[in-house]
Amino acid sequence: MKHIYIVRHCQATGQEPDAPLTERGQQQAVQLASFFAETAVDSILSSPFERAYCTVSPLAEKLGLKIVTDERLTERVLTGQNHPNWREMLRQTYDDLDLCYEGGESSRGAMERASSVVREVLESEHTHTVIVSHGNLISLLLKHFDSRIGFPEWESLSNPDVYHLSFAGEQPGIERIWRE
């Protein structure tokens, strides 16, 4: 049995790659480390974005584990331009997985990118892995394993958030386990 914990980063000051955690986000990161205290985490992967890395730093320190950053865990880029109706544009990408706006990435492309990380974890010797990433990419990763997941689930994500994927075979059990 493999256990993968998909973690959305804590509260941050913005969406830029170098956006730091807020003071509240830093407190949440410490709370997250305590949340995993009784879990036999043996591997930590993170988006290289500062807000993701800093989310899992207290846990890594507590467990004496190295954080491995992976570019495939960066947030999905919807479009290369700012659009006032970006939420509607995003909603449409859950219905049409191949829809790709100029300068952006399709949902299918993002799903493949994120799921390739999970496949590698499943092939590794690790049994309890924490993966830290970003809201849109996480919702698409979950959609990869359960097609019913979509825009409403993305909207309901919190900062932080934690989903437990338990693999006994190809398809995992998926459970939202974060309770603040």
Side-chain angles (χ1 to χ4, degrees), residues 32-52:
L32 197 63
S34 295
F35 178 80
F36 281 109
E38 301 300 315
T39 307
V41 174
D42 59 359
S43 173
I44 300 174
L45 304 174
S46 176
S47 158
F49 287 10
E50 182 174 345
R51 62 189 179 274

Side-chain angles (χ1 to χ4, degrees), residues 9 61 63 83 127 129 147 150 180:
H9 63 80
E61 288 175 26
L63 300 176
H83 288 276
T127 58
T129 298
S147 63
E180 202 167 355

Side-chain angles (χ1 to χ4, degrees), residues 2-8 32 35-36 38-45 56 59 118 121 127-133 138 141-142 161-167 175 177:
K2 296 269 187 162
H3 301 274
I4 299 177
Y5 303 91
I6 307 296
V7 177
R8 184 182 191 195
L32 197 63
F35 178 80
F36 281 109
E38 301 300 315
T39 307
V41 174
D42 59 359
S43 173
I44 300 174
L45 304 174
V56 78
L59 177 62
V118 171
V121 170
T127 58
H128 290 79
T129 298
V130 169
I131 296 177
V132 185
S133 190
I138 287 171
L141 174 61
L142 297 174
D161 213 334
V162 182
Y163 279 81
H164 176 211
L165 279 60
S166 52
F167 288 86
E175 180 185 7
I177 60 172

